[in-house]
Amino acid sequence: GAGVSQSPSNKVTEKGKDVELRCDPISGHTALYWYRQSLGQGLEFLIYFQGNSAPDKSGLPSDRFSAERTGGSVSTLTIQRTQQEDSAVYLCASSARTSGSPGELFFGEGSRLTVL
Amino acid sequence: RKEVEQDPGPFNVPEGATVAFNCTYSNSASQSFFWYRQDCRKEPKLLMSVYSSGNEDGRFTAQLNRASQYISLLIRDSKLSDSATYLCVLPAAGGTSYGKLTFGQGTILTVHP
């Protein structure tokens, strides 16, 4: 499979627990994005990576959210002390562009997080 | 004005109809625009890119009006399979970097027999 892969596809957790969401982008794509989508809502930008660095972290909702990317490939989004309002689908996307407009973003199928 | 604003719909049209939706944007410096399509409980996928005045691909036409700061998507001869949410997308305000894309809330289209 050559697409963006995310895991887990579904995660149910209790309030206060930490969760890790993983994204494996398309091979060779240098740009990686995290968005989240709440039920019936649009996509909310979280963070963007170019290589291993994150030029734009402006969308992370609070300091409970962090993300890293290693080897210019896999990225992990970590949510500490989860709250019910964190329940959403977390979408990862990657892009091959390195300058100018990002061009086409290829999305994974998302990780659906439910915080009880 | 929001960075990107769309009429959420829903638009309910019969097969074969022509339907159009608009998207307004606030950043007058935006140079590129995109329409993505999102099927129910699926990930968004690129439908069309708009870099100049417009773009046409088969039954789909996107037009850009820079003076009024809106882009439109026209679908001719609607098919049942066109039922989806259509997302208007552009680089975030103030962002000349190749990073952040701002997504509109989406317009829901339902094509019925």
Side-chain angles (χ1 to χ4, degrees):
Chain A
V4 176
S5 178
Q6 290 189 246
S7 61
S9 54
N10 276 288
K11 175 72 176 180
V12 180
T13 191
E14 292 179 347
K15 179 181 171 181
K17 301 278 190 182
D18 297 351
V19 296
E20 272 192 4
L21 307 176
R22 175 189 166 105
C23 173
D24 201 341
I26 292 172
S27 178
H29 279 193
T30 55
L32 185 147
Y33 306 77
W34 283 99
Y35 285 82
R36 75 176 175 181
Q37 188 171 32
S38 302
L39 189 63
Q41 301 297 310
L43 272 71
E44 176 188 0
F45 172 82
L46 298 178
I47 189 170
Y48 150 70
F49 288 92
Q50 182 63 36
N52 290 336
S53 63
D56 193 338
K57 305 179 183 180
S58 62
L60 294 177
S62 73
D63 58 7
R64 296 187 296 105
F65 287 72
S66 63
E68 64 175 14
R69 189 179 185 195
T70 55
S73 181
V74 172
S75 175
T76 302
L77 177 69
T78 301
I79 309 172
Q80 295 178 311
R81 303 180 304 282
T82 51
Q83 303 294 312
Q84 288 181 331
E85 62 263 28
D86 299 335
S87 297
V89 176
Y90 289 80
L91 290 161
C92 176
S94 69
S95 166
R97 295 291 292 270
T98 57
S99 63
S101 173
E104 182 172 4
L105 264 60
F106 294 85
F107 283 86
E109 293 186 346
S111 291
R112 184 176 298 276
L113 174 65
T114 303
V115 182
L116 301 177
Chain B
R1 183 189 246 184
K2 285 185 180 178
E3 283 188 71
V4 184
E5 206 152 5
Q6 295 183 250
D7 180 347
F11 285 68
N12 292 296
V13 303
E15 273 186 290
T18 294
V19 61
F21 354 104
N22 284 346
C23 164
T24 57
Y25 61 93
S26 59
N27 181 13
S28 60
S30 293
Q31 295 295 313
S32 54
F33 306 86
F34 310 91
W35 284 101
Y36 277 70
R37 169 196 168 126
Q38 186 173 26
D39 292 325
C40 188
R41 299 177 76 86
K42 295 286 190 181
E43 72 275 20
K45 293 183 180 178
L46 181 67
L47 178 65
M48 296 185 78
S49 303
V50 185
Y51 295 108
S52 57
S53 61
N55 193 6
E56 185 172 333
D57 183 5
R59 298 183 294 107
F60 297 83
T61 301
Q63 290 190 315
L64 169 62
N65 184 317
R66 290 190 187 276
S68 301
Q69 291 183 215
Y70 75 83
I71 58 173
S72 62
L73 179 67
L74 178 79
I75 305 175
R76 290 181 296 277
D77 188 23
S78 300
K79 311 292 184 190
L80 295 177
S81 57
D82 294 335
S83 298
T85 298
Y86 291 84
L87 304 167
C88 176
V89 186
L90 65 161
T96 55
S97 76
Y98 38 92
K100 184 176 173 180
L101 285 177
T102 298
F103 284 73
Q105 294 284 86
T107 297
I108 299 171
L109 171 66
T110 301
V111 181
H112 57 82

